Amino acid sequence: MAKKPQLIANSRDTIFQTLYVRIGNHVELGANTCVDKGSWRDTTIGDYTKIDNLVQIGHNVTIGKSCIVCGQVGIAGSATIGDYVTLGGRVAVRDHVSIVSKVRLAANSCVTKDIKEAGDYGGFPAVPAQQWRRQMAAQRFNYKKDVKSS
């Protein structure tokens, strides 16, 4: 006699997201964008924010006004993003991270810690743009040196 399959989790183990998603005025959401509703605070998207296709916005996230979120961005739960922030394509934002207003993140960057000063950032983990460019130049220099010695 075949055994009946066990459920991995039953309804008593599920934490329901019972709050709301608050979307401001003149917000654009691209195709296949997913915005999760909140569990302990509402997920909010500020006025005039533009969100491209294939973006994942986790639960309890707050996005300020006039932000630009490019394609394939992932924002994990409970992140807070200030006003006038631009996230380039494929940027990842870790959970419970804060980004102040007027920050621009280069494509393929990953925010792992709070960003407390306005400016340009890039890399993995995200660092100020000038430091990121120096890291990239040093990496390229070391790569060329390794290729010549081979």
Side-chain angles (χ1 to χ4, degrees):
M1 181 190 252
K3 279 189 168 182
K4 190 174 179 180
Q6 293 279 332
L7 292 175
I8 294 172
N10 58 32
S11 61
R12 290 176 289 180
D13 298 333
T14 304
I15 298 172
F16 293 102
Q17 312 295 48
T18 57
L19 296 179
Y20 301 99
V21 173
R22 307 267 183 213
I23 298 177
N25 297 319
H26 308 286
V27 171
E28 291 182 19
L29 294 173
N32 293 323
T33 292
C34 181
V35 182
D36 296 343
K37 59 185 182 173
S39 61
W40 58 272
R41 72 176 180 194
D42 291 339
T43 300
T44 59
I45 300 173
D47 297 339
Y48 298 98
T49 293
K50 310 295 183 208
I51 299 174
D52 201 2
N53 302 331
L54 297 166
V55 173
Q56 168 67 39
I57 299 172
H59 57 276
N60 308 322
V61 169
T62 300
I63 298 176
K65 65 180 179 180
S66 299
C67 293
I68 298 173
V69 181
C70 295
Q72 295 185 347
V73 167
I75 303 172
S78 303
T80 303
I81 297 174
D83 301 333
Y84 311 105
V85 173
T86 301
L87 303 178
R90 296 185 69 193
V91 166
V93 179
R94 190 169 179 253
D95 57 330
H96 303 281
V97 167
S98 261
I99 300 174
V100 298
S101 296
K102 298 182 181 176
V103 167
R104 295 188 307 174
L105 282 153
N108 293 324
S109 299
C110 181
V111 180
T112 58
K113 297 185 291 188
D114 291 350
I115 296 179
K116 298 176 182 176
E117 291 184 26
D120 297 339
Y121 292 82
F124 181 25
V127 293
Q130 188 174 8
Q131 181 182 350
W132 174 55
R133 288 184 189 111
R134 286 183 179 159
Q135 289 173 353
M136 296 304 295
Q139 187 178 23
R140 184 172 295 146
F141 176 76
N142 289 334
Y143 175 75
K144 286 181 181 179
K145 192 165 59 172
D146 289 343
V147 169
K148 286 181 183 178
S149 63
S150 303

